[in-house]
């Protein structure tokens, strides 16, 4: 039996993901597209990536996420030698969250003597 020809990457899926308007809509889209186990695996890998990005050690990541050491190693390799997109997006989200935090005015809490 001849081998199936390797399919070219279709950008259609990614165009549709990029068109999502909110986190809630994104959750619904992926709930419809993926099996629960697929989603949990992706969520776990992303949690591992965030923890590695934050400088957490393997043992803490293993205990907090329940991921295998192979998964942690694989995600670490992606962060170090991948395209850089994951870290770029994490930085963008962190910056957006920081920008949306209300600035605190500490002038009232200071005592003038």
């Amino acid at each position: 039996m001849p081998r199936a020809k390797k399919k070219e990457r279709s950008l259609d899926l990614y165009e549709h993901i990029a068109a999502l308007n909110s986190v809630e809509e994104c959750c619904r889209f992926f709930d419809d597209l993926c099996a629960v186990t697929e989603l949990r695996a992706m969520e776990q890998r992303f949690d591992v990536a965030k923890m590695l990005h934050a400088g957490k050690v393997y043992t803490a990541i293993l205990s907090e996420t329940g991921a295998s050491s192979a998964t942690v190693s694989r995600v670490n390799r992606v962060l170090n030698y991948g395209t850089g997109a994951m870290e770029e997006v994490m930085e963008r989200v962190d910056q957006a969250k920081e920008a949306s935090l209300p600035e605190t005015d500490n002038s009232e809490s200071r005592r003038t003597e």
Side-chain angles (χ1 to χ4, degrees):
M1 178 178 254
R3 270 186 143 174
K5 186 176 161 184
K6 187 175 179 182
K7 185 181 178 207
E8 294 286 324
R9 173 177 268 182
S10 170
L11 296 181
D12 197 39
L13 170 64
Y14 305 102
E15 289 171 353
H16 284 76
I17 292 169
L20 296 169
N21 293 318
S22 67
V23 172
E24 190 269 332
E25 185 178 37
C26 187
C27 289
R28 291 186 302 115
F29 179 85
F30 279 96
D31 283 345
D32 287 349
L33 182 66
C34 300
V36 171
T37 54
E38 294 168 323
L39 286 172
R40 296 305 166 260
M42 286 190 291
E43 291 166 357
Q44 183 184 62
R45 286 192 299 271
F46 190 73
D47 288 343
V48 168
K50 287 191 318 184
M51 293 173 147
L52 286 167
H53 182 71
K56 288 200 174 186
V57 295
Y58 271 42
T59 52
I61 295 169
L62 293 171
S63 67
E64 288 182 43
T65 65
S68 68
S69 58
T71 296
V72 177
S73 294
R74 189 177 316 115
V75 172
N76 190 51
R77 194 169 39 254
V78 166
L79 290 175
N80 289 315
Y81 305 108
T83 66
M86 194 174 320
E87 285 188 287
E88 186 179 314
V89 172
M90 284 190 283
E91 292 291 332
R92 187 179 309 145
V93 170
D94 288 346
Q95 289 172 358
K97 285 181 179 178
E98 287 174 14
S100 68
L101 290 175
E103 290 188 34
T104 56
D105 181 11
N106 292 331
S107 61
E108 289 181 28
S109 63
R110 290 186 206 136
R111 290 187 182 170
T112 54
E113 294 184 27

